[in-house]
Amino acid sequence: MHTYAFLGYPVLQAADILIYKADTVPVGKDQVPHIELTNNIAEKFNSLYGNVFPSVKPLLTKVPKLLGIDARKMSKSYDNFIALGDSEETILKKCSGMFTDPFEDKIN
């Protein structure tokens, strides 16, 4: 079953980026396709209404992918994330078992 989220979420994410007319956006490497889609939307908009939005480039850091607390992709489905509303005790428990060396071969 397909929902509006398949179309709506990427468009809303693009709008969040484009509204500020930034030329670079800090993202993880797994978010680079979203930047590409944002540029596609901006190009289409610009072709219809003039040069309104700049092309956006991803800004990656030395650690371009932040993993979940179990070193897999961070996901609510995997229950391997730290929620903003987690208690101090829960955060300490989750962090104590985290993979912490992003330069170790395990991450690649």
Side-chain angles (χ1 to χ4, degrees):
M1 176 178 184
H2 297 289
T3 66
Y4 175 72
F6 288 116
L7 171 65
Y9 179 76
V11 173
L12 289 172
Q13 188 175 33
D16 285 344
I17 294 168
L18 294 173
I19 195 167
Y20 295 102
K21 298 184 179 181
D23 56 4
T24 57
V25 177
V27 293
K29 68 181 179 181
D30 57 328
Q31 296 293 307
V32 171
H34 293 286
I35 299 299
E36 293 168 358
L37 178 60
T38 297
N39 283 327
N40 292 341
I41 291 170
E43 287 171 16
K44 180 63 176 178
F45 190 93
N46 288 343
S47 74
L48 293 171
Y49 302 105
N51 194 17
V52 177
F53 298 113
S55 180
V56 181
K57 295 174 195 73
L59 175 63
L60 300 173
T61 64
K62 288 182 182 180
V63 183
K65 186 174 183 183
L66 187 60
L67 301 176
I69 59 176
D70 60 359
R72 295 186 297 169
K73 174 185 172 188
M74 188 181 303
S75 172
K76 289 181 184 177
S77 301
Y78 296 154
D79 193 30
N80 66 353
F81 65 100
I82 298 171
L84 292 174
D86 281 348
S87 68
E88 183 177 349
E89 179 183 330
T90 301
I91 293 171
L92 288 171
K93 182 178 177 183
K94 287 180 177 181
C95 288
S96 68
M98 287 181 70
F99 172 73
T100 58
D101 187 355
F103 298 105
E104 192 172 294
D105 286 337
K106 182 177 182 182
I107 205 168
N108 298 328

